[in-house]
Amino acid sequence: MRNLENQFGHYFHIPEGGTNALAVKGCQEIINSDDSHFNFVCCAVGTGGTISGICNSVFPNQKVLGFPALKGGFLNEDIRKFAVNTNWELIEDYHFGGYAKVNQELIAFINKFFIETKILLDPVYTGKMMFGIVDLIQKNYFPEGSKIIAIHTGGLQGIAGMNKELERKKLIKIKVND
């Protein structure tokens, strides 16, 4: 850290793919008054920074649902360190075996979603979240008339590497164009 400060002067350290107070503060800007009419705010969860920031900025009428990309059930405590509101829940049924783990069902879903919406999903985070949201809708988890917003957190740059791995295993690849 001292080397960075000597080289660049004063800076804000926000770890890539990690969580600290500055990362959470930045993520508090994701939800604003334009989003107040949504009942559910959904996001993928890695280390807990994005969901913590969202939890701190949602409105009392909203519930935040986080879809962890990791298995293990250890994120609740990490999120509680930063989240001031308690209207959130982790839905831990859609990690597909853990971080960067996929199966053909998930890849088929991501490809179908892209064909139908023209929205790319990455297989590590947003693909798992959207799979979970659609599955929960089909299982009537959400009350009728609910308005759901899904936060797409990116990760699309990882598709190329995942496709190389899928090709190596002779499995279907993620579509990135028509």
Side-chain angles (χ1 to χ4, degrees):
M1 299 279 235
R2 196 52 93 196
N3 290 342
L4 289 174
E5 194 164 331
N6 289 339
Q7 186 176 357
F8 299 108
H10 183 69
Y11 66 95
F12 295 104
H13 178 74
I14 300 174
E16 180 182 357
T19 295
N20 70 12
L22 288 174
V24 172
K25 184 176 182 178
C27 290
Q28 288 176 189
E29 297 180 13
I30 293 172
I31 299 295
N32 61 47
S33 60
D34 293 337
D35 306 311
S36 63
H37 65 284
F38 291 100
N39 308 102
F40 293 90
V41 179
C42 300
C43 70
V45 178
T47 58
T50 302
I51 192 172
S52 295
I54 290 170
C55 288
N56 292 345
S57 62
V58 293
F59 297 86
N61 63 306
Q62 296 177 315
K63 181 168 185 177
V64 180
L65 299 179
F67 294 81
L70 301 98
K71 69 177 185 177
F74 58 89
L75 288 166
N76 285 297
E77 203 53 47
D78 292 341
I79 295 166
R80 281 190 200 101
K81 290 179 197 172
F82 295 104
V84 294
N85 293 323
T86 58
N87 52 340
W88 59 275
E89 174 184 358
L90 294 182
I91 308 291
E92 300 190 32
D93 300 328
Y94 302 99
H95 55 69
F96 287 86
Y99 182 77
K101 304 282 187 190
V102 299
N103 64 23
Q104 292 293 271
E105 182 182 24
L106 177 62
I107 301 304
F109 171 83
I110 290 170
N111 287 338
K112 183 177 184 236
F113 190 89
F114 175 69
I115 289 166
E116 293 175 357
T117 67
K118 302 301 181 237
I119 298 171
L120 284 170
L121 300 174
D122 80 282
V124 177
Y125 295 105
T126 58
K128 293 175 180 184
M129 173 195 64
M130 288 306 301
F131 185 100
I133 293 169
V134 170
D135 190 54
L136 291 175
I137 290 169
Q138 292 170 344
K139 292 176 176 175
N140 296 313
Y141 173 91
F142 301 100
E144 189 172 331
S146 293
K147 291 182 170 60
I148 305 163
I149 184 170
I151 308 299
H152 193 309
T153 52
L156 301 178
Q157 73 280 0
I159 292 174
M162 181 62 75
N163 273 344
K164 285 181 183 177
E165 183 64 16
L166 293 169
E167 185 173 18
R168 186 184 69 73
K169 293 179 178 180
K170 300 187 182 336
L171 300 172
I172 62 168
K173 295 190 301 186
I174 299 168
K175 293 182 183 292
V176 292
N177 53 39
D178 292 327

